[in-house]
Amino acid sequence: MVHLDLVRSANSSLVTTHPLVAVFVGGTSGIGQYTACALAATHSQHGRGLRLYIVGRNVTAGGTTIADCARVCPGGRFRFVRADDLALLHDVDRVCAEIVRLEGAERAEGDGAGARVDLLVMSQAYLTFEARRETKEGLDTLMSLLYYSRMRFLTNLLPLLLASPLPAHVVSVYAAGKEGKLCPDDLSLRDPQHYSFANQRSHVTYMTTFFLETLAERHRGRLSLVHVFPGLVMTPAFGSDRLPTWFKLAWRWVAAPVVRRWWSVPPRECGERILFLATARFPARGAGAPTKGDEGAAATEGDVGVAVGTDGRRGGGAYAVDWDGEVIPTTEKAYGTVRGEDMARKVWEHTMGAFREIEAGNYLSFHPESLGKKTERPATTRTLPIFLTSPPTKTAPRSPPPKETQTNDLEAKQSSSSDRVELSTSRSQICILLALQILTVEHANQLRHEDGWDRVQRGLGGEGGRRTFNILRCGRGNNGMASWSKPPVNHRVKASPSDLDEDGPVCSVCYLPGLISRRPER
């Protein structure tokens, strides 16, 4: 552990060397707020100038953070930049454009140091137990906050970061050292069988490491990039409305008192240790002089030393750091195989390709594992949903079966004359008629989810007798997974004979085959 007095000494040296411009994304509460206040407090005692941008959604919380910073650092300049939804890359672009505009205005007003960003701290996230939930841009909401939107902030603000004379420091707060399983062919975890909280955390950790290493190599001597695990910090996230009531009650009355006393990192210390990641211990690649001794040696009490990067080199430019300021070694078990698969290049191409696709508005046609491949779609239907890793091949329509062919409830056969369903207008079946009309709309009634296809059997009467028609619902309509908080949305199904393929009718949204049958008249 790097002792706290050494942390504070290094932080003091940081603010005395040069006037600082800092951006805190997610700085309205939690770890981002603690770090912003730590920077303001340190600057008030030793600083030479401070300009600080707080990015967040909550205007009231942003005003509170700015007021706290201004109270301890009256000489600083603090601005709040409002975001709508940082899980959306288009909102990230808008926020970055606003920061660039504000920095340009500062330069126009005569700031001799010019427009720049010396420190970028990103901690936007939320705590949830929900299954995969996609944004309208086609990314999982949590993975976007933890990885895609952060890398988008980094690339958008790169010109301002490279303008820093320090060099610039970038800190991403999440789960350094928590590598686990990696699915190289499904980096964004489109497949529901791949998606879980553990896999999401593992993928974000791997991808962050490789993306930061690529930037450190491309901008040698200009960027220091750190991914940090902050430890267990008591933040407002544990009271989020996204969490189930049972968890919040158990946390508040049972776990929190014990955790706070024995395991949690105090908010003030957490802020100071995150700020420490912008000091000379973590230089840009090629900028810091290597220290003598073992490459993996930890900092001693008397000398903080230069940290070892994730590539195993001292002063490597990209770092994985634990809550106590010590470097987390990238083990051979976690990275040995994936480095041999040229994973750094794959992650870079995947990420930049995702940015290009989303920037172009190709949300529904976005397939992260086959970027650049255009898929032909029928002109009258929507594009393939994004949760599929590759588009299924639709076979040519087959000829309708003979009229005398009969079907049962388990076979997808249909007579050529059965291209419509005669509905009875009897009073007893009005509700069924309304339900049928609603179910044919794409975003209609939400039913109980089961993986694959659900079949809802309805009895419909006609002049010739009673018929049974199985109404289909595509279970992929809720991003391919059931949600703990709400049932899935239905997709409508093409059921006319001309739309049948070898497997039966197909969903007009995601093209997955289903089962449809009716009993003969009686």
Side-chain angles (χ1 to χ4, degrees):
M1 173 188 291
V2 178
H3 289 196
L4 199 54
D5 56 343
L6 294 177
V7 168
R8 291 168 178 163
S9 175
N11 291 348
S12 298
S13 300
L14 170 67
V15 299
T16 58
T17 57
H18 196 278
L20 291 180
V21 178
V23 176
F24 289 86
V25 184
T28 56
S29 66
I31 294 174
Q33 180 188 32
Y34 306 152
T35 309
C37 291
L39 175 58
T42 303
H43 181 273
S44 66
Q45 302 175 11
H46 311 282
R48 296 181 51 189
L50 176 63
R51 190 158 63 246
L52 193 149
Y53 298 94
I54 301 292
V55 178
R57 295 184 302 168
N58 192 319
V59 177
T60 302
T64 301
T65 301
I66 289 177
D68 292 342
C69 293
R71 184 171 57 254
V72 299
C73 183
R77 304 180 66 175
F78 307 96
R79 292 180 179 270
F80 176 72
V81 181
R82 186 178 183 278
D84 294 323
D85 185 358
L86 291 179
L88 298 176
L89 300 190
H90 278 78
D91 195 44
V92 173
D93 293 345
R94 181 190 60 80
V95 170
C96 290
E98 179 65 11
I99 294 174
V100 171
R101 185 190 67 81
L102 292 173
E103 269 300 287
E106 293 287 346
R107 181 177 183 180
E109 291 177 5
D111 187 342
R116 69 194 187 281
V117 172
D118 303 307
L119 173 62
L120 172 61
V121 178
M122 298 172 287
S123 59
Q124 67 269 33
Y126 61 83
L127 182 61
T128 183
F129 297 142
E130 294 177 344
R132 179 183 175 91
R133 184 166 62 89
E134 290 185 352
T135 69
K136 65 181 182 181
E137 294 177 339
L139 298 172
D140 174 62
T141 301
L142 192 55
M143 284 192 72
S144 180
L145 286 171
L146 294 170
Y147 176 73
Y148 293 100
S149 73
R150 298 188 184 195
M151 300 308 106
R152 186 67 169 180
F153 265 106
L154 177 50
T155 55
N156 282 351
L157 297 179
L158 191 58
L160 291 179
L161 290 165
L162 296 178
S164 172
L166 290 181
H169 290 260
V170 177
V171 178
S172 181
V173 182
Y174 182 45
K178 306 302 178 183
E179 296 87 352
K181 181 180 178 181
L182 180 66
C183 304
D185 297 328
D186 188 15
L187 291 177
S188 53
L189 297 177
R190 293 279 189 252
D191 189 338
Q193 296 182 353
H194 293 161
Y195 191 91
S196 66
F197 177 81
N199 284 354
Q200 171 267 124
R201 181 180 66 178
S202 176
H203 271 231
V204 169
T205 303
Y206 273 115
M207 293 165 71
T208 298
T209 296
F210 287 125
F211 197 88
L212 297 187
E213 285 183 358
T214 301
L215 282 175
E217 176 62 29
R218 292 190 176 197
H219 304 283
R220 299 172 66 95
R222 308 289 297 280
L223 284 177
S224 169
L225 306 114
V226 178
H227 183 201
V228 59
F229 173 65
L232 185 54
V233 185
M234 307 294 286
T235 71
F238 289 102
S240 170
D241 294 337
R242 299 176 183 269
L243 296 173
T245 302
W246 66 264
F247 175 84
K248 290 187 286 187
L249 292 175
W251 173 259
R252 179 176 180 181
W253 300 107
V254 179
V258 177
V259 170
R260 183 180 289 108
R261 180 175 180 83
W262 299 105
W263 290 296
S264 70
V265 181
R268 179 182 175 184
E269 179 180 349
C270 174
E272 292 174 333
R273 289 191 177 278
I274 298 298
L275 182 61
F276 172 66
L277 304 178
T279 64
R281 173 166 166 75
F282 306 95
R285 188 180 185 90
T291 57
K292 296 180 180 180
D294 182 25
E295 287 291 313
T300 62
E301 182 176 356
D303 180 18
V304 175
V306 175
V308 177
T310 52
D311 60 355
R313 303 176 183 177
R314 189 172 295 278
Y319 308 91
V321 183
D322 210 346
W323 70 271
D324 58 0
E326 294 293 356
V327 170
I328 301 174
T330 53
T331 62
E332 183 68 20
K333 178 180 179 180
Y335 284 89
T337 302
V338 294
R339 286 192 186 278
E341 297 174 352
D342 199 14
M343 191 56 61
R345 179 187 59 80
K346 293 180 181 178
V347 168
W348 177 267
E349 292 178 353
H350 162 85
T351 306
M352 302 308 292
F355 292 167
R356 289 192 299 270
E357 289 285 310
I358 292 176
E359 186 176 359
N362 299 329
Y363 307 149
L364 293 177
S365 62
F366 167 45
H367 302 279
E369 317 319 330
S370 57
L371 291 171
K373 298 180 180 180
K374 300 300 181 181
T375 306
E376 296 297 330
R377 303 280 181 249
T380 58
T381 60
R382 291 180 59 187
T383 51
L384 187 70
I386 48 184
F387 59 78
L388 298 176
T389 56
S390 61
T393 302
K394 185 175 181 180
T395 59
R398 64 177 182 179
S399 300
K403 292 185 178 180
E404 61 271 20
T405 302
Q406 296 184 353
T407 60
N408 55 43
D409 291 335
L410 299 178
E411 295 179 342
K413 297 180 180 179
Q414 199 170 18
S415 66
S416 61
S417 62
S418 59
D419 58 320
R420 62 189 179 91
V421 178
E422 296 180 2
L423 300 179
S424 170
T425 57
S426 63
R427 185 173 181 179
S428 63
Q429 294 182 347
I430 291 179
C431 292
I432 295 178
L433 174 62
L434 294 176
L436 176 61
Q437 292 174 330
I438 293 174
L439 285 172
T440 57
V441 179
E442 178 184 351
H443 298 293
N445 271 356
Q446 298 184 348
L447 303 177
R448 178 180 59 85
H449 174 78
E450 294 179 3
D451 189 25
W453 291 78
D454 281 353
R455 296 187 298 166
V456 183
Q457 193 174 61
R458 302 292 188 187
L460 304 174
E463 295 181 0
R466 185 172 181 80
R467 294 178 177 179
T468 299
F469 181 70
N470 288 329
I471 302 171
L472 302 184
R473 180 174 69 83
C474 174
R476 300 282 183 173
N478 191 43
N479 305 326
M481 289 196 65
S483 171
W484 290 20
S485 61
K486 61 183 180 180
V489 177
N490 301 318
H491 284 174
R492 59 183 176 271
V493 175
K494 289 183 175 179
S496 61
S498 62
D499 295 316
L500 299 181
D501 61 15
E502 295 178 354
D503 298 312
V506 294
C507 176
S508 62
V509 178
C510 67
Y511 299 99
L512 290 179
L515 296 177
I516 186 169
S517 64
R518 77 166 50 166
R519 293 174 180 170
E521 295 182 2
R522 64 184 182 186

